[in-house]
Amino acid sequence: MIVADTLIQGILLGGLYALFATGLSLIFGVMRLVNLAHGDLMVVAAFAILIGVEALGLPIIVAAVLGGIAMFAFGYLLQSFLLNRTLGKDILPPLLVTFGLSIILQNGMLEAFSADTRRLPFGALGDASIALGGGLAVGVVPLLTFASAVLVIVFLNWLFYRTETGRAFRATSDNPEIAQLMGIDNSRIFSLAMALSLVVVAIAGLYLGARATFDPLIGPSRLIFAFEAVIIGGLGSFWGTLAGGIILGLAQSIGAQISPEWQTLSGHVVFLLVLLVRPRGLFPRAFD
């Protein structure tokens, strides 16, 4: 039973890491941009939802929807007016700008919310569980997290491979100069990609705040988990990102059974082993 419970909890934790990583994978796949503020934006989304619940008295689902809309708009504007100006053959400018953005967001949240830890109120749902028999049970929120990760990836795969917008994403990713010659507005496509990424970030922020406490300074550690899930799964593959999240979650869950100190370390060890064996990840795929 302990083995079964460890595996189940690891897989469900992997769903959360997949949500952390999917937005990062999306913008890297489309515009080759590494967003060092990705983890901090998840925390911003969690605080935005918290404001909707506590300050405005909204149901958490309504607050999450409004938070997703706000993050979509913020992502579009951020890419349009700031990050598009940094894109080019040199990868250093966007790295420096997103690093600076990370510092600004952390300090801004510290000023606004202090360093106190918070948690999103899910009410009775937060403590609800489903019995599997044999003394095993799974929480409803972890199940919802995993289901949301799968639905997000199904939607993104449909968008990328079944729609005109997706074809524009893939064309811009493959060769932005030729895409521009074919009439595609690269700047608008990049802005839309960032906006979609931040909607996924808002979903990740919802479950981040529901499953654990958060504070303004936890963004960088969540960014590391997102990077590891993306690289383990393989750059350019949404399903690979889900697989990478599950592998990372399983490694941490098994490590926690060995010793509490091994929970995070075991995930890093698996990440390094995958890099040694498959430097491009387990399931690399370009957006083609």
Side-chain angles (χ1 to χ4, degrees):
M1 289 300 102
I2 293 176
V3 172
D5 184 62
T6 299
L7 294 177
I8 291 170
Q9 298 306 321
I11 291 170
L12 295 181
L13 179 61
L16 180 63
Y17 290 157
L19 280 177
F20 288 175
T22 300
L24 196 67
S25 180
L26 191 160
I27 59 168
F28 182 83
V30 172
M31 64 185 93
R32 304 298 186 264
L33 186 149
V34 178
N35 182 8
L36 296 182
H38 185 80
D40 301 293
L41 288 165
M42 278 190 280
V43 183
V44 167
F47 274 115
I49 296 170
L50 185 67
I51 290 172
V53 173
E54 293 190 347
L56 303 179
L58 299 173
I60 192 163
I61 297 301
V62 176
V65 171
L66 293 178
I69 294 171
M71 294 300 288
F72 181 94
F74 177 69
Y76 196 94
L77 294 174
L78 175 68
Q79 187 69 38
S80 296
F81 293 102
L82 180 62
L83 296 179
N84 275 341
R85 301 173 186 270
T86 70
L87 295 178
K89 293 183 179 180
D90 189 353
I91 66 169
L92 188 58
L95 281 175
L96 292 175
V97 169
T98 56
F99 177 70
L101 178 61
S102 171
I103 294 173
I104 291 170
L105 290 175
Q106 288 180 43
N107 284 277
M109 288 187 288
L110 278 173
E111 288 292 326
F113 304 106
S114 79
D116 294 341
T117 58
R118 311 293 180 91
R119 189 162 185 169
L120 290 177
F122 260 59
L125 190 64
D127 299 320
S129 61
I130 298 173
L132 300 180
L136 291 177
V138 294
V140 171
V141 172
L143 278 175
L144 288 174
T145 306
F146 190 86
S148 297
V150 172
L151 288 174
V152 164
I153 290 172
V154 167
F155 170 76
L156 288 176
N157 270 282
W158 170 80
L159 178 69
F160 268 71
Y161 299 105
R162 295 290 185 270
T163 68
E164 289 289 340
T165 301
R167 281 189 281 274
F169 280 144
R170 290 183 283 123
T172 306
S173 170
D174 183 57
N175 195 314
E177 289 80 13
I178 293 179
Q180 191 87 29
L181 290 174
M182 298 299 293
I184 295 175
D185 185 347
N186 290 352
S187 296
R188 187 184 68 82
I189 290 298
F190 290 157
S191 298
L192 184 57
M194 180 60 75
L196 286 173
S197 171
L198 291 202
V199 172
V200 179
V201 162
I203 298 171
L206 170 67
Y207 290 114
L208 169 67
R211 295 190 58 170
T213 58
F214 61 95
D215 63 70
L217 300 179
I218 68 166
S221 64
R222 300 318 183 258
L223 173 66
I224 291 173
F225 295 151
F227 269 128
E228 290 181 342
V230 169
I231 294 171
I232 289 172
L235 293 171
S237 171
F238 291 128
W239 289 114
T241 298
L242 178 62
I246 291 172
I247 291 169
L248 186 61
L250 284 170
Q252 291 190 0
S253 185
I254 293 169
Q257 289 298 319
I258 298 171
S259 170
E261 291 82 6
W262 272 84
Q263 179 172 1
T264 301
L265 180 59
S266 59
H268 299 331
V269 170
V270 168
F271 167 68
L272 290 174
L273 290 175
V274 171
L275 277 183
L276 287 173
V277 178
R278 296 287 297 270
R280 296 185 64 236
L282 299 177
F283 310 103
R285 177 180 180 180
F287 292 142
D288 52 18

